[in-house]
């Protein structure tokens, strides 16, 4: 199906024009209300954030930063994570084509990230019971064992069949901020970036066109431009 069957993609800001987290959240909430009311088809927002920790609804106190950093508590699923420069974040504020199959929508977001990584020479996979995309445990070039490593995170909030929040793909960001939290509540795994896995620098600006192409290829199967039959506008 053509990309015209999707809501528009809007780039809110990439480095050096980083986007404040709460500004983007306010924008999402306004868009969500417009989509629910039938005033808008929604938008797929892509951006890089200023550095921030955000805590989903299931975050436990012991998983929060140990250095006193500020945390924004949000209404998405999942636990605590970090957003910041070098990470490509996507917020599809859109109506699900089938509101009863949220797992299919999560699959779509994961598949976009998996295909984007593959096009940059990195093999990422799903891991049962763990949302997002992963690099499986292996050995470093020097023979050092490496654990499973999270490359992309997903956290959603879906009300009245319309999604908010979305995904974060680590491209060229520092991994130091993850050292002060239990990222996504998973203590027995690590975090990585496309740049680290590919062996060359891949910024969000480098990765964005490829990711948009996969959103356009897969999105029409999972995103509705208008309310579906039986769904109030």
């Amino acid at each position: 199906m053509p990309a015209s069957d999707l809501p528009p993609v809007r780039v809110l800001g990439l480095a050096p024009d980083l986007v404040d987290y709460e500004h983007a959240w306010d924008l999402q909430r306004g868009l969500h209300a417009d989509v629910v009311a039938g005033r808008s088809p929604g938008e797929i927002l892509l951006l890089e954030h200023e550095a921030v920790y955000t805590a989903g609804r299931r975050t436990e106190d012991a998983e929060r930063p140990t250095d006193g950093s500020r945390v924004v508590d949000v209404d998405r699923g999942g636990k605590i994570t970090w957003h910041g420069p070098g990470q490509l974040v996507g917020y599809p504020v859109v109506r699900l084509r089938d509101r009863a199959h949220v797992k299919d929508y999560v699959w779509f977001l994961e598949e976009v990230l998996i295909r984007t990584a593959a096009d940059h020479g990195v093999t990422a996979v799903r891991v049962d019971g763990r949302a997002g995309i992963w690099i499986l445990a292996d050995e470093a070039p020097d023979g050092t064992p490496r654990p499973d490593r999270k490359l992309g995170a997903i956290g959603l909030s879906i009300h009245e069949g319309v999604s908010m929040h979305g995904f974060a793909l680590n491209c060229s960001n520092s991994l130091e901020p993850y050292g002060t939290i239990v990222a996504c509540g998973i203590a027995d795994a690590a975090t990585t970036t496309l740049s680290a896995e590919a062996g060359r620098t891949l910024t969000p600006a480098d990765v964005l066109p490829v990711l948009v192409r996969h959103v356009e290829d897969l999105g029409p199967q999972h995103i509705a431009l208008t309310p579906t039959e039986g769904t109030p506008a």
Side-chain angles (χ1 to χ4, degrees), residues 69-158:
S69 295
R70 175 172 171 262
V71 178
V72 178
D73 289 280
V74 296
D75 59 346
R76 60 165 171 79
K79 297 199 173 192
I80 194 162
T81 194
W82 174 88
H83 296 308
Q87 184 186 71
L88 180 57
V89 174
Y91 298 134
V93 185
V94 296
R95 187 179 300 280
L96 275 58
R97 185 164 292 280
D98 188 341
R99 61 191 297 175
H101 291 89
V102 174
K103 288 184 178 179
D104 289 346
Y105 181 65
V106 173
W107 179 93
F108 152 65
L109 296 178
E110 290 173 339
E111 190 67 15
V112 165
L113 299 184
I114 287 169
R115 294 188 185 191
T116 299
D119 283 352
H120 292 92
V122 175
T123 300
V125 299
R126 297 175 180 83
V127 172
D128 288 345
R130 293 181 169 181
I133 66 166
W134 296 80
I135 308 298
L136 295 181
D138 59 8
E139 289 187 353
D142 64 1
T144 303
R146 298 186 292 191
D148 289 352
R149 304 179 296 285
K150 193 166 195 175
L151 179 61
I154 292 175
L156 303 173
S157 172
I158 298 173

Side-chain angles (χ1 to χ4, degrees), residues 124-208:
V125 299
R126 297 175 180 83
V127 172
D128 288 345
R130 293 181 169 181
I133 66 166
W134 296 80
I135 308 298
L136 295 181
D138 59 8
E139 289 187 353
D142 64 1
T144 303
R146 298 186 292 191
D148 289 352
R149 304 179 296 285
K150 193 166 195 175
L151 179 61
I154 292 175
L156 303 173
S157 172
I158 298 173
H159 298 289
E160 299 188 65
V162 177
S163 178
M164 282 178 49
H165 303 287
F167 62 82
L169 180 63
N170 291 337
C171 296
S172 55
N173 50 287
S174 169
L175 297 177
E176 288 186 12
Y178 293 102
T180 63
I181 61 172
V182 180
C184 302
I186 299 171
D188 61 346
T191 309
T192 190
T193 67
L194 268 180
S195 295
E197 299 299 329
R200 65 188 190 281
T201 300
L202 293 166
T203 69
D206 296 328
V207 172
L208 185 142

